[in-house]
Each structure stands twice: as C-alpha cells, then as structure tokens.
Amino acid sequence: MPIQRRIGTAAPLGACVLLAGCSGWQSALDPQGPQARDLSTTFWTFTAALGLVWVLTMLALALALWRARGARDAPLESTPRPQGRAIIVTAAASGATVAILFALAGLSFAMQRRVTDAPPAGLSVAVTGYQWWWHIAYEGPEPAVGLVTANELHLPAGVPVRIRLASADVIHSLWVPNLFGKQDLIPGIDNAVELVASRPSVLRGQCAEFCGLQHAHMALTVVVQSKAEFDAWAAAQRQPAQPPADDKRRAGQAVFAARSCPVCHSVRGTDAAGAVGPDLTHVASRRRIASGLLPMTRSALASWIADPHAHKPGVHMPATPLEPHDAEALLDYLEGLT
Ligand code: CUA
C-alpha cells in the first residue's frame, strides 16, 4: 500500500480513537449537570478563541513570508512606510490580545462563580478517601440517614447534592468529569463540592491526585437515578444484612467470622464491625469490587479474596487462602449480601 493511502486510512481511524475518549461515562466533554455544562462551555469558548488566534497568527506569518519572498539587495535596510504600518499592526494586535485576555479572564471568573454557587443541597453525602477506595456515608434527609456504602455513589437526578470530602490518610481528589471539576480530599481539612446530576445514567469517577501505588485503581461508580429509584435504593441499603437463608450461606458467614474479614469489614446486622475496609453489608448489590477494578462476579470475588495483590499490588487487604469448600461457602455468603 502506498504511504499516502496508508496515512489516508490511518488518519480518520486515529481521529476516531482520539475522539472516542471525548464522550461517554468519564468525560468532561459529555456534561450531565449544570456545573459540568458551565465547565464545558468555558473549555469550548477558550478552545475556539485561542484556536482562532492561532489560525490568524499562522495566516499572518504565511502572508509575511510570502511577501518577503525573493532576495533583496539590502535585506537589513529599513524603509519608513512599512515600518509605520508595522507599528499600526503591532498596536492593533497588542490591543486585540489584551481585549481577548480580559474577555477570557472575565468569562473564567463568571463561570467559576456559577459553578461554586450551587442551590441549597437537598442531600448531603460524606465521601472519605482511603488508600485506595471510597467510603460513602449519606447524611440526610430521610430516608438516606444512616446509610453507609463504598465505591458506588448513588445520586437522585435533579436534586442538588452537597458532597463533603475528607481523607483518612493521604491527599486524594474526587473527579467525576461528567458532573464537576476536581476537588481535593485533604487530611484534617473539610472540603466540599455541590452539584446537580441532571438525568439518570451510570458514570465513572476517578481519584485525580496521585495517592500511592494504586492511585490509578481508585475509581468510583456514580449511579444517577430517578428520585423514586434512589429512595428505593436508599431504603434497601439502610437495612441490615439479611440473615443467611441456607446452611451453605451460614457456613460462609462462619468462614467470614473465623478469618480476619471482620477486623476490617463491617456487615451491619452481624458482629462484623471493622472500619478499615469497605462496608460489605450490601456488597453484592454493587456493580464492581476493588474500587472499580473488577466486576462484581463470583469468579472475580474468588480471585480477589484469594490474592488481592495479584490484581492490586500494594493493597492493604491480605490474601486469604481457603480450602475449596470454605471458599465456595464464603462466596455464597457474600453473593447473598444484596
Ligand atoms: Cu486516591 Cu489517587
């Protein structure tokens, strides 16, 4: 294939690959709320204005080079008329530059005020960053009070939400690009973001501040639901775990209790009250485990429990080698935590 044809084939393909990253469930260019829409508008206005400046500059450069083509007898000798015109052009360009800079600075300032000036929150959620997962506690109003979960943030569509941010160890940063900009979680400092998610969708957030070995595997699933669906979800999540329904699950709960699991994990309604790792009361209702790294499937759970370090080197959870029948019973128990 001739090189031109190869480039002709590869260029649109490359453009598709690049643009594919600009939409979807983790993209600031696919805004799903007023705050993200303001940020997106700011981004595109800056891109358009600065792109136009670049194009005009390149055209002026091309024009200057074209007009200066050919050798002159005395290239360094100045002539009064072109010099006078150059002063006018330079002054006009400087004036335009200052005007554009002030306009963009004004836009940036106005958008920042709009983004941080959210309506009064109808729901408050405390999100705490741990190496490397997210602790989520709903603070009110009813029926969300007392609801604790991990790594999967549910939000009611159209309801202003205040997300309070804290860290249990190092600095993290919460970023759900479809909803808002990055906001740091800093040990000892109260931080917050206020936002509205416009419509039901499933989005992906990501820790955006390097926080150690598994920073890249500190993802957050964000599920935006209708108010009725959110209320139903919250009511179910607020319940303690259902007692195991059969012998195998009871055996699984005994395995869970006998191993080191309850030292770190809580299962509300049982004696397991660890506060170091994610709350597991309704773990099987979540879409993913290991802070977004693995799907919530039996095989992924089995593999994660047997050797979490194979998936997430440096993770604080120890490997838990189990006899096959104990492992199966434990998996039955965990899958029953819906
Ligand atoms: Cu937490 Cu990066």
Side-chain angles (χ1 to χ4, degrees), residues 118-165:
L123 178 69
S124 178
V125 190
V127 172
T128 307
Y130 286 73
Q131 283 177 320
W132 292 276
W133 61 281
W134 307 92
H135 178 272
I136 299 166
Y138 289 75
E139 301 182 310
E142 292 286 345
V145 176
L147 198 174
V148 171
T149 183
N151 300 327
E152 190 173 294
L153 177 65
H154 286 239
L155 299 174
V159 175
V161 181
R162 179 178 168 82
I163 301 179
R164 295 198 306 111
L165 301 170

Side-chain angles (χ1 to χ4, degrees), residues 132 172 207 209-211 215 218:
W132 292 276
H172 304 273
C207 180
E209 178 80 37
F210 181 72
C211 55
H215 154 71
M218 188 168 166

Side-chain angles (χ1 to χ4, degrees), residues 26-275:
Q26 188 182 322
S27 169
L29 303 185
D30 182 16
Q32 306 264 342
Q35 287 77 20
R37 237 179 329 270
D38 285 343
L39 292 172
S40 175
T41 303
T42 310
F43 170 79
W44 284 117
T45 308
F46 268 71
T47 304
L50 302 179
L52 184 66
V53 168
W54 184 81
V55 168
L56 291 177
T57 307
M58 290 300 116
L59 285 176
L61 177 65
L63 186 68
L65 290 173
W66 182 73
R67 287 174 63 167
R69 73 195 185 288
R72 283 191 289 165
D73 290 341
L76 296 180
E77 185 183 311
S78 65
T79 46
R81 258 190 65 204
Q83 213 171 40
R85 205 164 53 204
I87 291 171
I88 295 170
V89 170
T90 307
S94 303
T97 304
V98 171
I100 290 170
L101 284 178
F102 269 99
L104 291 180
L107 174 78
S108 176
F109 180 72
M111 283 304 191
Q112 189 170 7
R113 286 200 66 168
R114 271 175 62 128
V115 166
T116 53
D117 193 20
L123 178 69
S124 178
V125 190
V127 172
T128 307
Y130 286 73
Q131 283 177 320
W132 292 276
W133 61 281
W134 307 92
H135 178 272
I136 299 166
Y138 289 75
E139 301 182 310
E142 292 286 345
V145 176
L147 198 174
V148 171
T149 183
N151 300 327
E152 190 173 294
L153 177 65
H154 286 239
L155 299 174
V159 175
V161 181
R162 179 178 168 82
I163 301 179
R164 295 198 306 111
L165 301 170
S167 171
D169 37 48
V170 300
I171 298 177
H172 304 273
S173 177
L174 180 66
W175 190 32
V176 187
N178 301 75
L179 295 181
F180 58 91
K182 298 169 185 174
Q183 190 66 263
D184 281 356
L185 296 78
I186 305 168
I189 292 183
D190 290 331
N191 233 346
V193 289
E194 280 158 351
L195 62 100
V196 181
S198 295
R199 57 177 184 272
S201 55
V202 179
L203 306 169
R204 187 178 190 275
Q206 168 65 40
C207 180
E209 178 80 37
F210 181 72
C211 55
L213 196 54
Q214 290 301 328
H215 154 71
H217 291 146
M218 188 168 166
L220 176 75
T221 305
V222 180
V223 182
V224 185
Q225 297 167 299
S226 68
K227 183 73 171 64
E229 281 176 343
F230 172 80
D231 287 345
W233 172 84
Q237 294 281 316
R238 213 155 43 111
Q239 299 298 318
Q242 291 289 321
D246 54 57
D247 286 346
K248 204 157 180 211
R249 284 186 178 163
R250 272 188 284 275
Q253 185 178 22
V255 173
F256 186 91
R259 297 295 180 140
S260 53
C261 313
V263 174
C264 298
H265 296 287
S266 281
V267 177
R268 280 175 280 129
T270 74
D271 292 337

